[in-house]
Amino acid sequence: MAIQVAVCGPRDAAEGERRDAFEVGRLLAERGAVVICGGYGGVMAAVAGGVHSAGGTVVGILSGADRTGACDDLSIVIPTGLGEARNAVITKSGDAVIAVGGSWGTLSEVALAMRGGRVPVVQLGGWRILDADGEPVPGIRHAATPAEAVNLTGLWPVRP
């Protein structure tokens, strides 16, 4: 069975976030992972583009009840009609979760993944979650580059 990695990020992504997401998708596909994302624009479209460019498989878990608005590079499209509740489906489907950038939806996905406590959660850019004392919340692995984000999942031997 293939390794599955959920990649989350904002629909309204900055150019740097889209570049990082594309590279994360490409690197994951090169390692044979199936990538799961939200299936729309921004980080989701960029990661799908990266996976597609490397000949990999990317699954879009859509919030809507049909394929309307799905990005072009998806291999498989799953309309759920669940709205934002589909974020739980995305995060529960991954052997690891990589969040690229930050938004309220992305924050909910990080929270769901951390709450599940069963998979590595890696943050590349975006928001930093702090506790009441202003310290980083333990458990989230922070990456500075797409390659480091993929390596920090711990699913494969570390590559440069």
Side-chain angles (χ1 to χ4, degrees):
M1 186 176 303
I3 290 173
Q4 298 181 172
V5 178
V7 178
C8 309
R11 183 184 304 216
D12 296 323
E15 180 59 33
E17 292 168 335
R18 289 192 300 271
R19 275 193 311 271
D20 284 347
F22 184 93
E23 184 66 4
V24 164
R26 187 186 68 75
L27 292 169
L28 289 170
E30 285 179 353
R31 293 185 187 202
V34 172
V35 174
I36 300 160
C37 71
Y40 293 112
V43 162
M44 299 169 280
V47 76
V51 172
H52 181 81
S53 76
T57 301
V58 59
V59 179
I61 308 293
L62 305 182
S63 57
D66 60 33
R67 295 180 181 196
T68 302
C71 63
D72 294 335
D73 289 319
L74 297 171
S75 309
I76 299 165
V77 178
I78 302 175
T80 67
L82 293 173
E84 292 178 6
R86 71 82 147 83
N87 292 354
V89 175
I90 294 167
T91 59
K92 295 292 184 195
S93 298
D95 297 308
V97 175
I98 299 174
V100 179
S103 67
W104 290 114
T106 307
L107 181 60
S108 76
E109 290 164 316
V110 168
L112 287 165
M114 289 300 295
R115 181 81 176 174
R118 62 176 189 74
V119 300
V121 179
V122 179
Q123 179 76 43
L124 176 59
W127 298 357
R128 294 273 178 153
I129 302 170
L130 306 176
D131 66 15
D133 296 322
E135 298 297 321
V137 173
I140 299 172
R141 303 170 185 186
H142 293 278
T145 67
E148 184 180 16
V150 171
N151 286 332
L152 284 174
T153 66
L155 299 173
W156 301 277
V158 174
R159 294 185 188 171

